[in-house]
Amino acid sequence: MRRIVKLTVCAVRLYSGGRPPVPLGGRILTDPDDIFQHNMWDHVQWTEEEREKAQQKAEENSKEKIPVEEQSKYDREAHKYWDRFYEMHQSKFFRNRNWLFTEFPELLPPDAAGMYTGSLGIESGNGEKPQPCSSSTLTSETDTFPGQHAAFRILEVGCGVGNSVFPIISTIRGSKAFLYCCDFSSRAVELIQEHPDYDPAVCHAFVRDICDPTYPFPFPPESLDIILVVFVLSAIHPARAPGVVKSLAGQLKPGGIMLFRDYGRYDLSQLRFKKGQCLSENFYTRQDGTCVYFFTKDEVHHLFSNAGLEEIQNLEDRRLQVNRGKKVVMHRVWMQSKYRKPYLISASV
């Protein structure tokens, strides 16, 4: 039979120059007089007064909630709101996420230039080595699906118009990697497919509602090395999020990794909401009908660990955003996490 063994170390991919950069940046504000020297400061510690003030603002803007009878439309018609959003903004609203490979070097395929993969000699109790993250296994020799011959497969869910997709395509082109990307906005997927850099040889974009488990994926279960979930779960009703993560976890190979980044509790954008925009605790709707939830570290941990994944990283990214022209300082809070599917080790009974 097979048993699940949790390992504390996974196959790693390092920059040729050594260790990857410090997570979440390294620009630390040590002298308050220097605050307007840069647009952003990393690893900012809040005072107790700042935390209490943020909590009070969130409590204040959530006192008046949208009537229950009106709330269901934001979930039921979410695709309409996002289609309208992308139709209006096209690909001009968000910038390309060129920071992805700094914070998530796991996205780099093992055969990319300047990288290497190693299992670090990890063995199970019976002397067997776990399967590396980058190995390729198909459910059947007769399976036919996009990217079936790839040795390294990535899925981005909630890909929007490709702000992560195109930096990834540019990086993996020429390697043995393949990228899948999906969004439940058909307009967003159309914009990706119409982009001049879209290449079906290395990427397959498709429409899928990740909240609906009956929607098929264009690849077999347990065939992905990496799943990228960036600013996606916050747009889903928090009651649906556990089912989404569990479903996605089923698509990862043993040893595969889910990469997560999203809004954190008391981020500036949460505190800016007005009364009457709150759907439930820490869950709001914007003026355009799209929704957003604000996570805590504990919530993120429970969300992924309850789906059978083990924690590699779970960080609260607190930064100080500075408008040097207006001399305005703003607190930003994001969550950044990495969770791995445990390896399956063959064991005799």
Side-chain angles (χ1 to χ4, degrees):
M1 62 173 292
R2 295 192 300 176
R3 61 186 175 92
I4 295 177
V5 178
K6 292 194 173 184
L7 304 172
T8 56
V9 186
C10 180
V12 294
R13 303 173 186 91
L14 301 179
Y15 288 95
S16 58
R19 294 175 57 84
V22 176
L24 310 180
R27 181 178 290 150
I28 310 299
L29 179 63
T30 56
D31 185 346
D33 292 337
D34 294 335
I35 193 168
F36 294 111
Q37 296 299 311
H38 296 283
N39 295 328
M40 191 80 75
W41 296 96
D42 307 316
H43 303 284
V44 174
Q45 300 297 316
W46 287 27
T47 65
E48 190 61 33
E49 181 181 355
E50 288 171 332
R51 179 177 289 276
E52 289 178 0
K53 186 177 180 180
Q55 184 176 351
Q56 289 172 2
K57 283 187 176 181
E59 290 174 352
E60 183 67 23
N61 70 22
S62 62
K63 284 181 179 179
E64 184 181 328
K65 293 183 173 59
I66 294 172
V68 176
E69 59 272 18
E70 296 180 18
Q71 290 190 17
S72 61
K73 74 173 184 179
Y74 294 102
D75 187 44
R76 185 179 63 252
E77 301 179 8
H79 66 285
K80 295 181 181 179
Y81 295 123
W82 282 107
D83 277 342
R84 191 180 306 152
F85 175 90
Y86 290 120
E87 186 62 43
M88 177 182 297
H89 298 289
Q90 301 286 303
S91 58
K92 301 175 183 177
F93 193 83
F94 301 110
R95 296 179 179 178
N96 279 353
R97 294 166 178 155
N98 295 311
W99 52 264
L100 277 174
F101 304 101
T102 300
E103 297 297 340
F104 296 141
E106 295 84 358
L107 285 166
L108 288 160
D111 58 333
M115 306 292 292
Y116 68 89
T117 304
S119 66
L120 303 184
I122 304 170
E123 296 186 359
S124 66
N126 62 2
E128 295 186 57
K129 289 190 177 183
Q131 189 179 47
C133 294
S134 59
S135 65
S136 176
T137 56
L138 304 183
T139 56
S140 167
E141 292 183 1
T142 61
D143 282 342
T144 300
F145 59 94
Q148 67 175 11
H149 299 299
F152 187 78
R153 302 190 189 98
I154 303 167
L155 167 67
E156 185 193 8
V157 295
C159 60
V161 295
N163 299 98
S164 298
V165 169
F166 295 111
I168 294 174
I169 286 178
S170 176
T171 300
I172 68 173
R173 186 178 278 114
S175 72
K176 296 179 181 179
F178 192 86
L179 171 66
Y180 306 93
C181 60
C182 65
D183 201 284
F184 79 150
S185 167
S186 58
R187 183 58 186 136
V189 173
E190 287 173 0
L191 288 167
I192 286 180
Q193 294 172 335
E194 294 167 0
H195 195 283
D197 291 336
Y198 180 69
D199 184 355
V202 295
C203 180
H204 178 67
F206 59 100
V207 178
R208 193 186 194 281
D209 180 358
I210 59 173
C211 292
D212 187 346
T214 65
Y215 269 55
F217 281 108
F219 43 76
E222 295 195 324
S223 61
L224 300 177
D225 295 277
I226 301 291
I227 298 179
L228 184 64
V229 189
V230 176
F231 296 102
V232 177
L233 295 183
S234 58
I236 296 171
H237 192 289
R240 289 177 174 266
V244 170
V245 174
K246 185 176 181 180
S247 174
L248 292 175
Q251 311 309 314
L252 283 172
K253 298 175 184 177
I257 298 174
M258 204 174 300
L259 304 174
F260 169 82
R261 185 172 174 85
D262 221 315
Y263 293 103
R265 188 70 46 86
Y266 307 141
D267 177 59
L268 171 70
S269 57
Q270 178 179 11
L271 306 185
R272 281 181 168 175
F273 278 105
K274 306 298 182 184
K275 292 181 181 179
Q277 292 182 266
C278 186
L279 292 162
S280 59
E281 293 301 314
N282 305 298
F283 188 48
Y284 302 79
T285 180
R286 304 182 181 95
Q287 293 292 338
D288 61 6
T290 62
C291 299
V292 59
Y293 184 79
F294 298 87
F295 293 93
T296 65
K297 279 184 67 173
D298 286 344
E299 287 174 342
V300 171
H301 178 75
H302 289 303
L303 189 60
F304 288 93
S305 62
N306 288 346
L309 304 178
E310 59 181 354
E311 180 182 314
I312 301 173
Q313 179 191 86
N314 189 22
L315 303 175
E316 190 174 48
D317 184 5
R318 293 185 177 274
R319 304 196 187 196
L320 204 60
Q321 187 174 341
V322 178
N323 185 321
R324 291 190 281 177
K326 297 181 179 180
K327 302 298 182 183
V328 175
V329 175
M330 300 158 283
H331 285 279
R332 304 309 308 266
V333 185
W334 297 287
M335 304 308 304
Q336 182 167 300
S337 310
K338 304 177 184 182
Y339 282 81
R340 176 178 52 237
K341 188 171 188 174
Y343 288 99
L344 292 175
I345 304 296
S346 297
S348 57
V349 293

